[in-house]
Amino acid sequence: MKFEERTLSTEQIFTGKVISMQVDEVELPDGKIAKRELVKHPGAVAIIAITANRKLVLVEQFRKALERTILEIPAGKIEPGEEPQLTAIRELEEETGYRANSFKYLQSFSTSPGFADEIIHLYIAEDLEVVENPAAGDEDEFIHVVEVTIEEAEEMIANERIYDAKTVVAVWYAKSL
C-alpha cells in the first residue's frame, strides 16, 4: 500500500478500565522512522432513539475531558464478547429507561482515526416503550434524560449544547427520516 506504515515495535504505556495506550515505532513509506501514540478502545454503540411523537431521546451528562455538561444520544462501550446490537439494546435501557420494538443498524464510523481505534456502531431505535424496572446504569454515571425535536437539536448544535460528533451525525440522520 502506498501510504502504509509498518510497525517495528509497540510499547504498552497504560491499561485502564476503558482504554489502553501504546506508543508504536513505525517505518514510514519513505523509509524514515516515526512514533505513533495510540489509544486502543473496545468499541462503542450509539443509539438514535425516536419517540412516538418524533422526538430524539438525549442524555445530559458531565464530560470530564471537556469540563462541561453536554447533551448526547445514548451510547456506551461494548463489553468483551458482547455483540454491538446487544450493547445498544442494553445501553438504551440503562441510560434512558426505554426499550425499542424496532431496532436497526445504520452504520459504523471511526471517532478519532489520528490517534484512536474506537469504532462506534450507530443504531436507530423506534417504537419505544418505557421499561417498568430498567436495568441499572454505571454507578459512576449521572444522567438526565431529555427529549427534543429535530429543530431543537439543530439549535443545540448551533449553540454547542450538542457538541460531540456522534450526536451531530445522529441529528443529521434523524432529519433525513
Side-chain angles (χ1 to χ4, degrees):
M1 304 224 16
K2 185 176 178 182
F3 299 111
E4 187 174 326
E5 298 176 356
R6 188 170 63 91
T7 303
L8 303 174
S9 66
T10 298
E11 178 189 359
Q12 192 75 29
I13 59 173
F14 174 79
T15 301
K17 185 174 116 178
V18 177
I19 63 163
S20 64
M21 295 186 297
Q22 67 189 50
V23 177
D24 284 5
E25 185 174 73
V26 299
E27 181 181 2
L28 302 174
D30 65 1
K32 293 181 182 172
I33 306 299
K35 295 212 184 262
R36 300 288 185 241
E37 297 170 350
L38 305 173
V39 174
K40 306 302 269 181
H41 188 282
V45 299
I47 306 103
I48 303 170
I50 301 177
T51 66
N53 59 354
R54 306 304 299 162
K55 288 192 174 186
L56 290 175
V57 179
L58 303 177
V59 293
E60 183 177 28
Q61 59 187 324
F62 181 79
R63 291 303 196 177
K64 183 64 179 164
L66 300 176
E67 290 291 346
R68 62 181 276 207
T69 299
I70 61 173
L71 288 163
E72 304 173 49
I73 60 173
K77 178 178 68 78
I78 299 170
E79 297 298 333
E82 191 174 43
E83 290 296 318
Q85 184 161 330
L86 293 178
T87 304
I89 291 166
R90 175 178 52 78
E91 288 291 340
L92 178 64
E93 182 177 328
E94 287 177 3
E95 291 194 356
T96 70
Y98 279 115
R99 180 178 297 131
N101 290 307
S102 172
F103 219 90
K104 180 181 162 192
Y105 169 79
L106 293 173
Q107 83 171 78
S108 299
F109 54 89
S110 172
T111 59
S112 300
F115 65 89
D117 69 350
E118 179 186 30
I119 302 294
I120 291 183
H121 307 280
L122 184 62
Y123 292 85
I124 186 162
E126 296 179 288
D127 192 14
L128 302 179
E129 59 185 48
V130 175
V131 177
E132 191 171 318
N133 293 307
D138 297 337
E139 63 183 29
D140 63 349
E141 196 169 49
F142 297 88
I143 293 173
H144 175 69
V145 177
V146 177
E147 295 178 9
V148 301
T149 65
I150 301 295
E151 295 77 20
E152 289 170 329
E154 288 178 310
E155 186 176 311
M156 290 172 174
I157 290 170
N159 67 31
E160 298 182 355
R161 285 277 289 128
I162 292 176
Y163 194 67
D164 69 300
K166 73 180 179 308
T167 305
V168 172
V169 167
V171 171
W172 289 339
Y173 259 110
K175 187 174 180 177
S176 70
L177 299 174

Short mmCIF file of all heavy atoms in Angstrom, two decimals, residues 72-97:
data_model
loop_
_atom_site.label_atom_id
_atom_site.label_comp_id
_atom_site.label_asym_id
_atom_site.label_seq_id
_atom_site.Cartn_x
_atom_site.Cartn_y
_atom_site.Cartn_z
N GLU A 72 -26.19 14.36 24.58
CA GLU A 72 -25.73 13.35 23.63
C GLU A 72 -26.83 12.33 23.39
O GLU A 72 -27.73 12.18 24.20
CB GLU A 72 -24.53 12.58 24.19
CG GLU A 72 -23.36 13.41 24.61
CD GLU A 72 -22.30 12.57 25.30
OE1 GLU A 72 -21.91 11.51 24.76
OE2 GLU A 72 -21.87 12.95 26.40
N ILE A 73 -26.69 11.58 22.30
CA ILE A 73 -27.55 10.42 22.14
C ILE A 73 -27.04 9.34 23.10
O ILE A 73 -25.87 9.35 23.49
CB ILE A 73 -27.59 9.91 20.67
CG1 ILE A 73 -26.20 9.51 20.18
CG2 ILE A 73 -28.24 10.94 19.77
CD1 ILE A 73 -26.22 8.86 18.80
N PRO A 74 -27.91 8.43 23.52
CA PRO A 74 -27.46 7.34 24.39
C PRO A 74 -26.35 6.54 23.70
O PRO A 74 -26.40 6.30 22.49
CB PRO A 74 -28.71 6.47 24.57
CG PRO A 74 -29.85 7.35 24.19
CD PRO A 74 -29.33 8.34 23.20
N ALA A 75 -25.36 6.14 24.48
CA ALA A 75 -24.21 5.43 23.92
C ALA A 75 -23.51 4.66 25.02
O ALA A 75 -23.73 4.92 26.21
CB ALA A 75 -23.25 6.43 23.26
N GLY A 76 -22.64 3.76 24.62
CA GLY A 76 -21.87 3.03 25.61
C GLY A 76 -20.85 2.10 25.01
O GLY A 76 -20.90 1.77 23.83
N LYS A 77 -19.95 1.67 25.86
CA LYS A 77 -18.84 0.80 25.48
C LYS A 77 -19.30 -0.64 25.31
O LYS A 77 -20.12 -1.14 26.09
CB LYS A 77 -17.77 0.89 26.57
CG LYS A 77 -16.55 0.01 26.36
CD LYS A 77 -15.53 0.21 27.45
CE LYS A 77 -15.94 -0.28 28.79
NZ LYS A 77 -15.86 -1.70 29.04
N ILE A 78 -18.77 -1.29 24.31
CA ILE A 78 -19.04 -2.71 24.09
C ILE A 78 -18.24 -3.53 25.10
O ILE A 78 -17.02 -3.35 25.22
CB ILE A 78 -18.67 -3.13 22.65
CG1 ILE A 78 -19.51 -2.34 21.64
CG2 ILE A 78 -18.84 -4.63 22.45
CD1 ILE A 78 -19.06 -2.49 20.20
N GLU A 79 -18.91 -4.40 25.81
CA GLU A 79 -18.24 -5.27 26.77
C GLU A 79 -17.58 -6.43 26.03
O GLU A 79 -18.03 -6.82 24.95
CB GLU A 79 -19.25 -5.80 27.81
CG GLU A 79 -19.88 -4.71 28.66
CD GLU A 79 -18.89 -3.94 29.51
OE1 GLU A 79 -17.84 -4.49 29.87
OE2 GLU A 79 -19.18 -2.76 29.80
N PRO A 80 -16.52 -7.02 26.61
CA PRO A 80 -15.84 -8.14 25.94
C PRO A 80 -16.82 -9.26 25.58
O PRO A 80 -17.64 -9.68 26.42
CB PRO A 80 -14.83 -8.62 26.99
CG PRO A 80 -14.59 -7.41 27.84
CD PRO A 80 -15.90 -6.66 27.88
N GLY A 81 -16.79 -9.69 24.34
CA GLY A 81 -17.63 -10.78 23.87
C GLY A 81 -19.07 -10.38 23.55
O GLY A 81 -19.85 -11.22 23.12
N GLU A 82 -19.42 -9.13 23.75
CA GLU A 82 -20.80 -8.68 23.53
C GLU A 82 -20.97 -8.21 22.08
O GLU A 82 -20.12 -7.51 21.54
CB GLU A 82 -21.11 -7.53 24.50
CG GLU A 82 -22.56 -7.13 24.56
CD GLU A 82 -22.80 -6.08 25.65
OE1 GLU A 82 -22.00 -5.14 25.78
OE2 GLU A 82 -23.81 -6.22 26.36
N GLU A 83 -22.07 -8.61 21.47
CA GLU A 83 -22.39 -8.14 20.12
C GLU A 83 -22.84 -6.68 20.21
O GLU A 83 -23.60 -6.33 21.13
CB GLU A 83 -23.49 -8.99 19.50
CG GLU A 83 -23.05 -10.39 19.14
CD GLU A 83 -21.97 -10.40 18.07
OE1 GLU A 83 -22.08 -9.62 17.10
OE2 GLU A 83 -21.01 -11.18 18.21
N PRO A 84 -22.44 -5.83 19.25
CA PRO A 84 -22.82 -4.42 19.31
C PRO A 84 -24.32 -4.17 19.46
O PRO A 84 -24.71 -3.29 20.23
CB PRO A 84 -22.28 -3.85 17.99
CG PRO A 84 -21.10 -4.72 17.68
CD PRO A 84 -21.51 -6.09 18.14
N GLN A 85 -25.17 -4.91 18.77
CA GLN A 85 -26.60 -4.66 18.89
C GLN A 85 -27.09 -4.94 20.31
O GLN A 85 -27.94 -4.22 20.83
CB GLN A 85 -27.43 -5.45 17.88
CG GLN A 85 -28.91 -5.08 17.98
CD GLN A 85 -29.72 -5.43 16.77
OE1 GLN A 85 -29.21 -5.45 15.67
NE2 GLN A 85 -30.99 -5.71 16.98
N LEU A 86 -26.56 -5.98 20.95
CA LEU A 86 -26.95 -6.26 22.34
C LEU A 86 -26.47 -5.14 23.26
O LEU A 86 -27.18 -4.77 24.21
CB LEU A 86 -26.40 -7.61 22.79
CG LEU A 86 -27.01 -8.83 22.09
CD1 LEU A 86 -26.37 -10.11 22.58
CD2 LEU A 86 -28.52 -8.86 22.28
N THR A 87 -25.29 -4.59 22.98
CA THR A 87 -24.80 -3.45 23.75
C THR A 87 -25.76 -2.29 23.59
O THR A 87 -26.12 -1.61 24.57
CB THR A 87 -23.39 -3.03 23.27
OG1 THR A 87 -22.50 -4.13 23.36
CG2 THR A 87 -22.86 -1.88 24.11
N ALA A 88 -26.19 -2.03 22.36
CA ALA A 88 -27.09 -0.91 22.09
C ALA A 88 -28.43 -1.08 22.81
O ALA A 88 -28.94 -0.13 23.42
CB ALA A 88 -27.31 -0.77 20.58
N ILE A 89 -28.97 -2.27 22.79
CA ILE A 89 -30.24 -2.54 23.48
C ILE A 89 -30.06 -2.31 24.99
O ILE A 89 -30.89 -1.67 25.63
CB ILE A 89 -30.71 -3.98 23.18
CG1 ILE A 89 -31.15 -4.09 21.70
CG2 ILE A 89 -31.84 -4.40 24.12
CD1 ILE A 89 -31.33 -5.51 21.20
N ARG A 90 -28.96 -2.82 25.54
CA ARG A 90 -28.68 -2.67 26.97
C ARG A 90 -28.48 -1.20 27.33
O ARG A 90 -29.06 -0.70 28.30
CB ARG A 90 -27.42 -3.48 27.33
CG ARG A 90 -26.96 -3.31 28.77
CD ARG A 90 -25.75 -4.17 29.10
NE ARG A 90 -24.63 -4.03 28.19
CZ ARG A 90 -23.77 -3.01 28.21
NH1 ARG A 90 -23.90 -2.02 29.06
NH2 ARG A 90 -22.75 -2.99 27.36
N GLU A 91 -27.67 -0.49 26.56
CA GLU A 91 -27.39 0.91 26.87
C GLU A 91 -28.63 1.79 26.77
O GLU A 91 -28.80 2.70 27.57
CB GLU A 91 -26.28 1.45 25.95
CG GLU A 91 -24.90 0.91 26.26
CD GLU A 91 -24.32 1.39 27.58
OE1 GLU A 91 -24.77 2.43 28.13
OE2 GLU A 91 -23.39 0.73 28.08
N LEU A 92 -29.47 1.54 25.78
CA LEU A 92 -30.70 2.32 25.66
C LEU A 92 -31.53 2.20 26.93
O LEU A 92 -32.00 3.21 27.48
CB LEU A 92 -31.52 1.87 24.44
CG LEU A 92 -32.84 2.59 24.24
CD1 LEU A 92 -32.63 4.08 23.95
CD2 LEU A 92 -33.65 1.93 23.13
N GLU A 93 -31.69 0.99 27.43
CA GLU A 93 -32.47 0.78 28.64
C GLU A 93 -31.80 1.39 29.87
O GLU A 93 -32.43 2.09 30.66
CB GLU A 93 -32.72 -0.71 28.87
CG GLU A 93 -33.57 -0.97 30.10
CD GLU A 93 -33.89 -2.44 30.31
OE1 GLU A 93 -34.00 -3.19 29.31
OE2 GLU A 93 -34.04 -2.84 31.49
N GLU A 94 -30.48 1.14 30.03
CA GLU A 94 -29.77 1.65 31.20
C GLU A 94 -29.77 3.17 31.26
O GLU A 94 -29.94 3.75 32.33
CB GLU A 94 -28.32 1.16 31.19
CG GLU A 94 -28.14 -0.29 31.52
CD GLU A 94 -26.69 -0.74 31.43
OE1 GLU A 94 -25.79 0.09 31.17
OE2 GLU A 94 -26.45 -1.95 31.61
N GLU A 95 -29.55 3.81 30.12
CA GLU A 95 -29.39 5.26 30.12
C GLU A 95 -30.71 6.02 30.04
O GLU A 95 -30.78 7.16 30.50
CB GLU A 95 -28.46 5.70 28.99
CG GLU A 95 -27.03 5.27 29.21
CD GLU A 95 -26.03 5.96 28.31
OE1 GLU A 95 -26.43 6.75 27.42
OE2 GLU A 95 -24.82 5.72 28.50
N THR A 96 -31.74 5.43 29.43
CA THR A 96 -32.97 6.19 29.20
C THR A 96 -34.21 5.59 29.83
O THR A 96 -35.22 6.28 29.95
CB THR A 96 -33.24 6.33 27.68
OG1 THR A 96 -33.62 5.05 27.15
CG2 THR A 96 -32.05 6.90 26.94
N GLY A 97 -34.17 4.30 30.16
CA GLY A 97 -35.37 3.64 30.67
C GLY A 97 -36.33 3.21 29.57
O GLY A 97 -37.45 2.80 29.84
#
